Amino acid sequence: MVEGWAREAHGLFRSHGVRQVGYVPDAGLSDLITACEGDNDIRTVLLTSEEEGVGLAAGAWLGGEKAALLMQSSGVGNTVNAIGSIITACQMPLFLVVTMRGQYGESNPWQIPMGQAVTPVLQSLGVRVFEVESDREAADAIEAGLKMAFLSNAAVAVLIGQRLIGAKSFIADVAEETRHVGA
Amino acid sequence: MSGPELERDEVVSRLMQARGDALLITGLGSPGWDAAASDHRPENFYLWGGMGCAVMTGLGCALARPDRKVWVLTGDGDALMGIGSLATVAVQRPENLAIIVLDNEHYGETGMQPTHTFHGTDLAAMAAGAGIPVTALVRDDDGLSGLIDMLDGGRMPLFAAVKVRAGKPKPVLPPRDGTYLKTRFRQAVLGPTEAVQPR
């Protein structure tokens, strides 16, 4: 049973007529992916790289459909040229749901640089960024973002913060089996 | 070993004669000039940027419009940059999408530097390996005729790499205003009202 912001997001995708959902999986997105995959009115498109989703969304719009893209924050780095060169250049709608890493409580140092860069990178390309930290904020921002994207030809990213989805811990989650090796 | 024998403008001209009402997405650079030279119409969306995204733009459009054939016409450089897209297309299996790569084995817009295909990479084999059910490597007139038959009534999704001579195409430039190209394409596909009054 899908609950919380993911359930709201799926309902809003339906009510706003989103027909294609492109994604690269992330743990924090798994409920939303499951909800979309179980919906016969939504075509889910598994991507090898987040950049593909930008082309998908552009092509969907050209053909008269609305697409949403789901990705982890590190994947935003893979979308940069496609967003600037297609979405911004053509004033195409774009709607991203980004689950954050490298932020609040991160325990993998490799995630922190890209996580911290997500907002300034997206904003520098003309994407409106809504950062949310609760189920209610997420639902509000997703609704506002869907309206802006598809009625105002705007590019919008809703960033789901680690206060909401939790910070993955490599120490606590797998403590039983984990061995740590050093120099 | 001699190079490719087919001329790109003749290839595109023959393809466009067989196009019917297929929607067309062109990858950046020469494929757009080729399409503009032989078959410029509102149902053409010319990418002027976003290298690597032509196939996925075609996929999004094909999924949105299952009632229309969608052709992607692009180059080997663009196809290589978006090579993972072939796996994504294979998983989706759109029965209305054809991907045609004009493989001149060079980056045409940047000074004719060789691409990976010049050094032996086989795009049709990569497409087959990705799981695209119908693939072709076209090297001559007979192969081109076969491709045209496949485009007319064959199974899709289809991927074809057409080996063409590396030469500068005629400089026939389509409009470069992306917002204009987008709206023009949507008007042609969706009608004049829905194109500009999305609900």
Side-chain angles (χ1 to χ4, degrees), chain B residues 119-168:
Chain B
H119 297 289
T121 299
D122 181 340
L123 284 169
M126 293 184 85
I132 293 186
V134 184
T135 62
L137 180 59
V138 173
R139 295 186 176 280
D140 53 25
D141 263 332
D142 285 349
L144 183 59
S145 296
L147 172 59
I148 286 168
D149 287 345
M150 290 157 71
L151 288 165
D152 189 34
R155 275 198 307 145
M156 294 190 184
L158 172 159
F159 177 97
V162 184
K163 291 286 186 182
V164 295
R165 280 183 195 273
K168 270 287 175 196

Side-chain angles (χ1 to χ4, degrees), chain A residues 12-36:
Chain A
L12 289 163
F13 286 1
R14 284 190 63 82
S15 61
H16 285 260
V18 171
R19 290 280 177 268
Q20 298 184 31
V21 172
Y23 70 96
V24 175
D26 184 39
L29 291 166
S30 58
D31 283 354
L32 181 51
I33 293 167
T34 300
C36 293

Side-chain angles (χ1 to χ4, degrees), chain A residues 32-170:
Chain A
L32 181 51
I33 293 167
T34 300
C36 293
E37 282 183 337
D39 186 332
N40 290 333
D41 293 330
I42 292 176
R43 167 79 81 140
T44 53
V45 181
L46 173 63
L47 310 167
T48 72
S49 167
E50 294 79 358
E51 182 182 31
E52 292 177 8
V54 181
L56 181 84
W61 188 246
L62 289 172
E65 280 196 346
K66 300 173 184 175
L69 306 179
L70 319 180
M71 64 188 69
Q72 186 193 97
S73 50
S74 48
V76 170
N78 296 340
T79 66
V80 169
N81 179 55
I83 291 178
S85 297
I86 300 175
I87 301 299
T88 309
C90 299
Q91 292 175 33
M92 295 258 199
L94 183 71
F95 184 75
L96 312 180
V97 175
V98 180
T99 40
M100 293 303 297
R101 295 288 307 271
Q103 216 191 21
Y104 191 75
E106 180 61 55
S107 65
N108 178 354
W110 298 57
Q111 284 281 359
I112 290 178
M114 188 62 228
Q116 296 295 312
V118 164
T119 293
V121 164
L122 286 173
Q123 287 178 335
S124 72
L125 296 165
V127 181
R128 282 73 175 173
V129 176
F130 304 149
E131 300 183 43
V132 301
E133 304 283 357
S134 72
D135 283 325
R136 189 71 258 149
E137 283 179 3
D140 288 349
I142 288 167
E143 172 144 48
L146 287 166
K147 265 190 216 161
M148 282 180 74
F150 298 112
L151 296 177
S152 299
N153 283 341
V156 177
V158 177
L159 311 188
I160 311 291
Q162 280 172 298
R163 280 189 183 85
L164 178 50
I165 53 174
K168 183 174 175 179
S169 167
F170 289 94

